[in-house]
């Protein structure tokens, strides 16, 4: 297990390095000059050159990339003489704030959104999928599958706007989402995140319901399920202990990927509801061609996804005893 973990951690580091390099290259092939944006359109070419030197953009791309990677682990001194401590992800071109501080400041919002939505869609999706599988071919099964297909077909922004219209403007049941810290007021924290949670859960729960239904139908047809029933086990035990445990294994993989991606921000949902999360930060960085912010949010998203994959692999051995690592 120790050797396996070391290999996986090495792979994680390599993946993050490749993603960082690709993002760096993509940024430099985009026809946009951060120095011009930082200085303003009325700046003279000489002033723009000075700003480029201050931002370190006059150095070769490979040199800038090397300094960026080293700074993540050891900190660095920027071209303007500004000290950037560990972990240094640079400073935003738009507001001159450290990217790491911006990420930490927004992380709580994205984590709250991801965890709440994930819990909601996992419970609803698995419940609907198992019920449909056990009632395969019935009117209930067809109704649930049509409902999930409809839910999965609706764009996230459309669902978000509908919820805002009816739950906030028409009925006034919920306040317009404005993030409140959990430690400040747990009730306000939950009430302001209900709509974003439901928006994300509506999409993901539909996909999980259809996947869990297919997996459950396949599992319940396995020979060992017939053996368990022949032994006289209660149907509830057969379904929960033998059926669901095997059927949920492939779902864990997808859940880890989805949750890992959401922990780094749900760009559309955060933008529609005006939540100050990492997804909104990434959107603003892309619009303003803010390279340090784009790199920081991309690396954070990649980190969460590869970390989720690693945890999923470790959880496999607990869920399915047949999985072993050598």
């Amino acid at each position: 297990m120790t050797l396996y973990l070391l290999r996986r951690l090495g792979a994680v580091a390599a993946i993050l390095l490749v993603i960082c390099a690709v993002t760096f290259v993509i940024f430099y092939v985009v026809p946009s000059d951060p120095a011009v944006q930082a200085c303003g359109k009325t700046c003279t070419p000489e002033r723009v050159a000075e700003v480029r030197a201050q931002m370190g953009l006059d150095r070769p791309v490979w040199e800038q990339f090397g300094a960026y990677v080293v700074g993540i682990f050891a900190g660095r001194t920027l071209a303007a003489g500004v000290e950037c401590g560990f972990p240094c992800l640079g400073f935003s071109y738009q507001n001159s704030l450290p990217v790491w501080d911006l990420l930490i400041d927004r992380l709580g919002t994205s984590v709250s959104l991801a965890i709440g939505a994930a819990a909601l869609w996992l419970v609803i999706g698995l419940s609907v999928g198992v019920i449909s599988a056990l009632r395969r071919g019935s009117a209930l099964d067809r109704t649930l599958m049509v409902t999930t297909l409809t839910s999965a077909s609706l764009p996230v922004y459309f669902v978000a706007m509908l919820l805002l219209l009816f739950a906030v403007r028409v009925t006034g049941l919920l306040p317009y989402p404005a993030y409140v810290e959990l430690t400040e007021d747990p009730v306000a924290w939950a009430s302001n995140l209900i709509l974003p949670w439901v928006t994300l859960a509506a999409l993901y729960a539909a996909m999980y319901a259809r996947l869990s239904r297919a997996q459950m139908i396949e599992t319940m047809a396995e020979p060992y399920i017939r053996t368990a029933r022949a032994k006289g086990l209660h149907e509830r035990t057969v379904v929960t202990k033998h059926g669901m445990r095997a059927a949920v294994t492939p779902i864990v993989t997808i859940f880890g990927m989805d949750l890992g991606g959401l922990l780094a921000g749900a760009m559309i949902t955060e933008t529609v509801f005006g939540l100050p999360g990492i997804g909104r930060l990434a959107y603003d960085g892309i619009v303003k061609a803010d390279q340090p912010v784009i790199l920081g949010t991309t690396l954070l998203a990649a980190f969460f996804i590869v970390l989720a994959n690693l945890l999923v692999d470790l959880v496999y051995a607990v869920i399915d005893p047949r999985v072993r690592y050598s």
Side-chain angles (χ1 to χ4, degrees):
M1 177 62 77
T2 302
L3 183 59
Y4 172 79
L5 283 175
L6 291 176
R7 288 201 305 264
R8 289 304 303 268
L9 289 175
V12 166
I15 291 172
L16 292 178
L17 183 63
V18 170
I19 291 175
C20 182
V22 171
T23 307
F24 222 88
V25 171
I26 291 176
F27 181 83
Y28 276 94
V29 300
V30 174
S32 176
D33 191 345
V36 174
Q37 295 186 5
C39 183
K41 296 182 179 179
T42 58
C43 284
T44 62
E46 293 76 13
R47 177 55 185 160
V48 172
E50 292 179 5
V51 173
R52 286 182 59 83
Q54 293 174 359
M55 299 172 71
L57 299 175
D58 58 334
R59 296 182 296 171
V61 176
W62 63 267
E63 186 177 333
Q64 296 182 48
F65 176 71
Y68 183 85
V69 173
V70 171
I72 294 177
F73 300 97
R76 59 186 169 126
T77 302
L78 302 182
V82 179
E83 292 294 330
C84 183
F86 162 83
C88 179
L89 297 176
F91 287 76
S92 170
Y93 290 158
Q94 301 301 315
N95 50 34
S96 299
L97 294 175
V99 174
W100 177 254
D101 291 347
L102 292 174
L103 293 175
I104 295 300
D105 184 58
R106 308 256 185 145
L107 185 59
T109 304
S110 294
V111 170
S112 298
L113 177 60
I115 298 298
L120 191 60
W121 88 56
L122 193 60
V123 171
I124 295 176
L126 291 181
S127 300
V128 170
V130 171
I131 292 173
S132 292
L134 297 178
R135 300 290 186 273
R136 182 182 181 185
S138 65
L140 177 61
D141 176 30
R142 290 192 292 270
T143 301
L144 290 175
M145 287 301 99
V146 169
T147 303
T148 57
L149 180 60
T150 303
S151 179
S153 302
L154 296 176
V156 172
Y157 63 85
F158 179 74
V159 175
M161 297 304 294
L162 282 181
L163 291 175
L164 283 175
L165 176 63
F166 290 103
V168 177
R169 297 185 180 180
V170 176
T171 63
L173 294 175
L174 294 171
Y176 191 91
Y179 184 71
V180 178
E181 292 289 344
L182 176 61
T183 54
E184 293 181 8
D185 189 343
V187 176
W189 170 82
S191 62
N192 279 277
L193 287 174
I194 288 177
L195 293 182
W197 285 343
V198 173
T199 299
L200 290 173
L203 172 64
Y204 286 96
M207 296 188 294
Y208 277 66
R210 299 182 70 84
L211 177 61
S212 59
R213 177 184 181 272
Q215 291 295 326
M216 195 66 181
I217 290 175
E218 181 179 351
T219 300
M220 295 303 289
E222 292 290 338
Y224 66 86
I225 296 295
R226 293 195 297 268
T227 302
R229 285 172 173 161
K231 289 181 178 180
L233 295 180
H234 193 279
E235 185 64 19
R236 180 180 300 176
T237 303
V238 174
V239 172
T240 57
K241 185 177 180 179
H242 297 281
M244 290 187 62
R245 188 171 183 177
V248 79
T249 303
I251 297 176
V252 170
T253 303
I254 301 177
F255 179 73
M257 294 284 290
D258 291 337
L259 180 58
L262 278 184
L263 285 173
M267 187 178 298
I268 296 177
T269 303
E270 291 178 5
T271 302
V272 172
F273 289 106
L275 297 176
I278 295 177
R280 180 61 184 269
L281 179 66
Y283 172 79
D284 293 338
I286 293 172
V287 171
K288 298 174 183 178
D290 196 337
Q291 181 216 21
V293 171
I294 297 173
L295 278 172
T297 53
T298 302
L299 279 177
L300 186 64
F303 171 77
F304 277 129
I305 291 175
V306 295
L307 178 62
N309 268 328
L310 177 59
L311 294 177
V312 164
D313 288 345
L314 298 178
V315 169
Y316 270 172
V318 177
I319 297 178
D320 191 345
R322 295 171 298 178
V323 177
R324 290 292 182 266
Y325 301 110
S326 58

